Amino acid sequence: MYDIMSPKAEEFISDEEIRACLAYAEENKHNRELIDEILEKARKMKGVSHKEALVLLDCDLEDKNEEIYALARKIKEEFYGNRIVMFAPLYLSNYCINGCEYCPYHAKNRHIPRKKLTQEEIRQEVIALQDMGHKRLAIESGEDPVNNPLEYILESIKTIYSIKHKNGAIRRVNVNIAATTVENYAKLKEAGIGTYILFQETYNKESYEALHPSGPKSDYAYHTEAMDRAMEGGIDDVGLGVLFGLNNYRYDFTGIIMHAEHLEAYKGVGPHTISVPRLRRADDIDPDVFDNGISDDLFAKIVACIRIAVPYTGMIVSTRESQQSRERVLNLGVSQISGGSRTSVGGYTDEERPEDTVQFDVDDRRTLDEVVNWLMKLGYVPSFCTACYREGRTGDRFMSLLKSKQIVNCCHPNALMTLKEYLEDYASPDTKAIGEALIQKELQTIPNEKVREKAAEYIANIHQGQRDFRF
Ligand code: SAM
């Protein structure tokens, strides 16, 4: 039975409801009248239901698809402007007791070296990340209560926040660790984390169970209900994701929108972000074994339809994607990207064997400076802003800012000020020159005069050592 308000995974992600949607969308993918109706509703920019979103995803009428892409671009522009938030992953440990079939850290992989960073090694990694210019990290860890207990994660977060190297500081630590208890989520909240991220991998229970044959992660309900527990523990920014390539994309697309709807209806606040990772080659893992891979065209359509379905949710694309693929989805809805990423434990400082513990091959291997430079040439403003969460603008407070479109008087100046800090402290001469001109131009687009003047004044003072002013 489908029940959006149920705390039970099998009811808020009802298989029966998803299958009914799959059949409905298949039947209506050429239904111009219905597609027009859905687009009409979508143009109000308040979202559409999972069922309606799937009809748009399945639609193969060329002119309607053009309208879908145009609307996704418009929503992106309206809510998020041209800002792109930057972050990097930091792998703490690849010890893992789970049996995930697609991940090289699975417990049965006996040839991958196991590594867990000491606090001193974390320090070195964070200094390397700060020297690149990063301010926002997503920490990653395998699940292993003996080697990586929650206390280790908490201690690591404390270490990360404590490191102030030159003008560097990590101002927001997002956390991507296994599903846990309400008590543990409350401890993560207490430690000052930003977003709690957990990918569902797939919403199809049968497929989920086959892909996770052993370990705590094999419990579908416990995993799927994790975000409800996280919110109960006080974390109000949560990040969803599915790993495209594992299961039928239509099923998982519908599932992730239903999950977002459930959180909004049941917990009063939808997900802060949705990630759209695609399966990559890795040690012991051949993505071709999984026959659900999706093309770049389909990937772009998924991003556009998520943007339309949940306009208030940020979207994240990692370096799993190529430069070309990232470029394509940036204006369709993506608001955060990683840059200069290493997906191995100790990858930012391990000069000798940096690839030994790699989780998957990254496609975009450019440095952070190259990514920032590229973004600006495309007309985007790379942002290193972390203000919202530090000002307490999380959960529904952030959502109301976004919904009232006041973000332009808040996020835009913050983005420009943090970009200026980046240019001053870390950028190459070419990136700096492009960025200085961009900042002057973008300052003029801030509607509120007082905010504009204050931001300009602060930006002018950055080279004299001023840091970390925020709206
Ligand atoms: N261990 C935690 C868990 O299982 O949820 C979170 C950390 S895990 C390092 C982060 C994510 O990497 C997983 O949720 C999965 O979606 C993704 N991942 C694993 N293997 C991958 C692969 N071969 N290609 C792309 N992404 C992969």
Side-chain angles (χ1 to χ4, degrees):
M1 188 197 63
Y2 175 46
D3 181 0
I4 195 175
M5 298 300 277
S6 168
K8 289 197 184 132
E10 284 181 59
E11 293 177 358
F12 67 78
I13 305 289
S14 149
D15 177 66
E16 196 186 328
E17 167 70 11
I18 296 183
R19 288 187 193 282
C21 290
L22 296 181
Y24 177 81
E26 176 61 30
E27 262 167 44
N28 286 291
K29 66 182 180 191
H30 299 132
N31 183 341
R32 261 177 199 280
E33 209 178 316
L34 177 70
I35 292 164
D36 277 337
E37 256 173 49
I38 299 172
L39 280 169
E40 195 52 38
K41 176 175 172 190
R43 284 196 188 92
K44 297 197 173 78
M45 299 192 190
K46 293 195 158 87
V48 296
S49 72
H50 56 275
K51 190 172 177 180
E52 294 162 334
L54 186 63
V55 174
L56 296 184
L57 183 64
D58 279 0
C59 160
D60 59 4
L61 303 169
E62 213 173 301
D63 57 327
K64 292 296 141 196
N65 278 340
E66 283 314 310
E67 285 181 42
I68 290 170
Y69 287 123
L71 180 58
R73 279 188 211 106
K74 191 156 179 241
I75 295 174
K76 165 77 202 297
E77 171 64 27
E78 193 108 343
F79 286 101
Y80 303 90
N82 56 354
R83 295 172 298 282
I84 302 288
V85 170
M86 308 302 304
F87 77 98
L90 170 59
Y91 281 71
L92 296 181
S93 167
N94 69 346
Y95 282 93
C96 196
I97 57 169
N98 286 313
C100 314
E101 297 272 332
Y102 48 85
C103 179
Y105 297 166
H106 67 79
K108 290 204 181 104
N109 187 348
R110 302 267 180 238
H111 60 266
I112 197 167
R114 298 289 165 173
K115 195 169 167 187
K116 166 188 169 182
L117 297 179
T118 62
Q119 297 306 308
E120 181 47 34
E121 285 167 333
I122 291 173
R123 232 182 96 73
Q124 296 311 321
E125 290 276 294
V126 170
I127 287 174
L129 282 156
Q130 288 184 4
D131 279 342
M132 288 160 75
H134 278 296
K135 298 279 187 275
R136 178 190 288 249
L137 300 183
I139 56 173
E140 311 277 337
S141 171
E143 179 169 16
D144 184 330
V146 174
N147 288 297
N148 332 315
L150 190 79
E151 291 63 36
Y152 167 70
I153 305 290
L154 295 172
E155 191 188 357
S156 304
I157 295 168
K158 209 167 170 188
T159 300
I160 295 168
Y161 278 134
S162 74
I163 301 160
K164 304 282 180 294
H165 166 69
K166 297 185 183 158
N167 282 331
I170 299 302
R171 299 171 180 162
R172 178 172 177 129
V173 179
N174 296 333
V175 172
N176 184 3
I177 61 163
T180 186
T181 58
V182 174
E183 294 69 39
N184 282 348
Y185 285 125
K187 288 181 190 165
L188 285 167
K189 164 83 183 169
E190 180 68 30
I193 70 162
T195 311
Y196 171 65
I197 301 164
L198 182 69
F199 298 161
Q200 178 64 30
E201 322 300 6
T202 175
Y203 284 93
N204 183 315
K205 184 167 184 278
E206 207 179 304
S207 161
Y208 183 96
E209 285 169 355
L211 289 161
H212 304 97
S214 56
K217 193 168 170 178
S218 61
D219 186 336
Y220 176 84
Y222 190 73
H223 190 82
T224 313
E225 291 158 13
M227 295 315 193
D228 299 66
R229 291 195 302 280
M231 286 184 166
E232 223 176 300
I235 297 174
D236 46 17
D237 281 352
V238 300
L240 307 181
V242 290
L243 187 53
F244 285 104
L246 293 182
N247 179 48
N248 178 289
Y249 72 90
R250 298 173 67 230
Y251 194 105
D252 283 334
F253 172 85
T254 315
I256 205 164
I257 307 294
M258 285 169 79
H259 199 172
E261 288 167 350
H262 164 73
L263 293 175
E264 174 127 28
Y266 184 56
K267 293 287 176 187
V269 49
H272 189 65
T273 54
I274 288 184
S275 297
V276 285
R278 277 198 281 185
L279 187 65
R280 298 281 302 160
R281 203 210 64 81
D283 175 69
D284 216 29
I285 309 295
D286 174 4
D288 295 335
V289 169
F290 304 85
D291 50 9
N292 286 299
I294 53 171
S295 67
D296 287 357
D297 284 349
L298 197 47
F299 182 67
K301 182 103 190 262
I302 289 172
V303 169
C305 291
I306 294 178
R307 180 69 303 134
I308 291 173
V310 283
Y312 314 126
T313 302
M315 279 180 80
I316 303 181
V317 161
S318 73
T319 54
R320 291 174 182 88
E321 293 298 316
S322 66
Q323 175 179 338
Q324 290 77 359
S325 169
R326 301 215 300 170
E327 186 161 332
R328 193 162 170 200
V329 293
L330 277 173
N331 72 354
L332 292 175
V334 167
S335 52
Q336 279 191 39
I337 67 171
S338 45
S341 305
R342 293 280 184 282
T343 59
S344 51
V345 183
Y348 296 103
T349 49
D350 188 348
E351 310 261 299
E352 275 167 35
R353 312 176 75 92
E355 302 284 301
D356 271 10
T357 57
V358 108
Q359 194 196 13
F360 50 80
D361 292 351
V362 299
D363 197 320
D364 188 343
R365 294 176 164 266
R366 291 172 297 168
T367 62
L368 179 62
D369 189 73
E370 287 167 336
V371 174
V372 167
N373 190 304
W374 162 77
L375 283 173
M376 295 192 300
K377 282 185 180 147
L378 292 173
Y380 294 104
V381 175
S383 169
F384 293 86
C385 181
T386 54
C388 273
Y389 126 90
R390 290 153 78 226
E391 295 292 326
R393 292 189 296 259
T394 58
D396 53 353
R397 275 148 297 170
F398 173 75
M399 291 293 170
S400 55
L401 188 75
L402 196 62
K403 288 176 187 175
S404 67
K405 307 217 175 105
Q406 269 312 306
I407 216 157
V408 72
N409 280 317
C410 184
C411 292
H412 210 55
N414 284 339
L416 297 175
M417 294 186 302
T418 55
L419 175 60
K420 172 68 180 171
E421 290 178 351
Y422 172 81
L423 298 178
E424 196 68 28
D425 292 336
Y426 308 106
S428 65
D430 181 49
T431 303
K432 192 166 178 192
I434 298 171
E436 300 284 3
L438 180 77
I439 289 173
Q440 291 314 315
K441 186 174 129 236
E442 290 291 331
L443 269 173
Q444 305 316 315
T445 67
I446 299 170
N448 183 305
E449 196 182 326
K450 279 209 181 99
V451 173
R452 190 167 63 238
E453 279 170 10
K454 187 85 195 150
E457 183 193 319
Y458 172 70
I459 283 170
N461 284 334
I462 287 181
H463 76 275
Q464 280 158 7
Q466 220 188 95
R467 291 291 176 278
D468 203 17
F469 178 81
R470 59 186 181 267
F471 288 98

